Amino acid sequence: MRRVGSIIATVVLVSAHLALAQNRSLKVVLDPAQTQIHWKVSSGLHPTNGTFKLKSGEFLLNPATGIAEGEILVDATTGESGNAARDKRMQDEVLESNRYPAIFFHPAHLKGALKAEEGTQELTADGTFNIHGADHPMQMPLKVQVSAETLTATTRFTVPYVAWGMKNPSKFLFRVGKQVEIEVTAKGSIKQVD
């Protein structure tokens, strides 16, 4: 009888441990030095391309519920295209980065199950994208590759900057598109936390 009770107690403890392990959160920390943010906007005969720099990125995710919290922060003042005059106009007139130096995404929910296991995963992040001081709901499709405790995530999305209240920099003979295509390749670490 004592042996049966001992076996039952062991099974209960192991089951409780497994349930807790499956409900552990995942912490993702992005590495700014290994993250690339590219943008493209149509303008005249050919598109204009440029980059931004990630300042920081960290969030927690509950894999059981998909609930996420944290922030991915881009330094708006780092936006550049390689043309000093155009970049100054973008910073001063469009982004107004002296007033709005931060562009960020606050994830709220992840559709699909991000796992700390190796392999490629397709997910969608729902959250709030803030640019030029205003929040906008956004869904980002994500392709995530996990290897050991490292993570590489890629996404593409569109920012309709004119519809979101920013100035269109078009001039009489120089026309600029009203939306910007963004492509991100982010690298960082992923680990389970209590």
Side-chain angles (χ1 to χ4, degrees):
M1 186 70 160
R2 185 180 271 171
R3 186 178 167 125
V4 172
S6 166
I7 292 172
I8 291 172
T10 301
V11 168
V12 169
L13 284 173
V14 168
S15 298
H17 177 71
L18 289 173
L20 286 173
Q22 290 174 347
N23 205 23
R24 292 175 71 186
S25 292
L26 296 175
K27 181 177 183 178
V28 176
V29 179
L30 301 179
D31 181 354
Q34 294 188 62
T35 297
Q36 299 175 358
I37 303 167
H38 295 275
W39 58 266
K40 178 171 66 173
V41 64
S42 63
S43 58
L45 299 175
H46 56 81
T48 298
N49 298 290
T51 60
F52 281 98
K53 291 189 169 123
L54 178 72
K55 191 168 188 176
S56 63
E58 186 173 317
F59 62 94
L60 288 173
L61 169 71
N62 182 324
T65 64
I67 294 174
E69 60 181 50
E71 181 174 83
I72 299 166
L73 178 63
V74 174
D75 184 349
T77 66
T78 64
E80 61 181 12
S81 67
N83 178 301
R86 178 174 51 220
D87 293 344
K88 180 169 175 32
R89 190 168 58 247
M90 174 180 66
Q91 291 293 333
D92 294 348
E93 298 176 20
V94 181
L95 292 172
E96 295 183 88
S97 59
N98 59 332
R99 290 178 60 198
Y100 309 107
I103 301 170
F104 54 85
F105 179 69
H106 287 161
H109 190 263
L110 219 57
K111 293 178 186 170
L114 178 62
K115 300 172 189 149
E117 303 163 4
E118 293 197 18
T120 302
Q121 304 163 49
E122 305 248 349
L123 310 163
T124 302
D126 287 319
T128 303
F129 185 83
N130 183 292
I131 188 168
H132 203 248
D135 287 340
H136 305 279
M138 181 172 280
Q139 276 193 342
M140 287 185 191
L142 298 170
K143 188 170 189 178
V144 179
Q145 175 72 41
V146 176
S147 177
E149 288 192 348
T150 62
L151 169 139
T152 302
T154 57
T155 186
R156 291 180 182 187
F157 58 94
T158 301
V159 173
Y161 73 97
V162 174
W164 286 356
M166 287 173 266
K167 181 179 178 182
N168 186 333
S170 294
K171 302 289 184 195
F172 177 63
L173 293 175
F174 178 72
R175 294 287 170 211
V176 177
K178 296 181 180 181
Q179 59 186 28
V180 178
E181 303 297 323
I182 307 289
E183 184 174 330
V184 180
T185 300
K187 294 187 177 183
S189 63
I190 182 171
K191 64 181 179 178
Q192 290 186 339
V193 293
D194 292 329

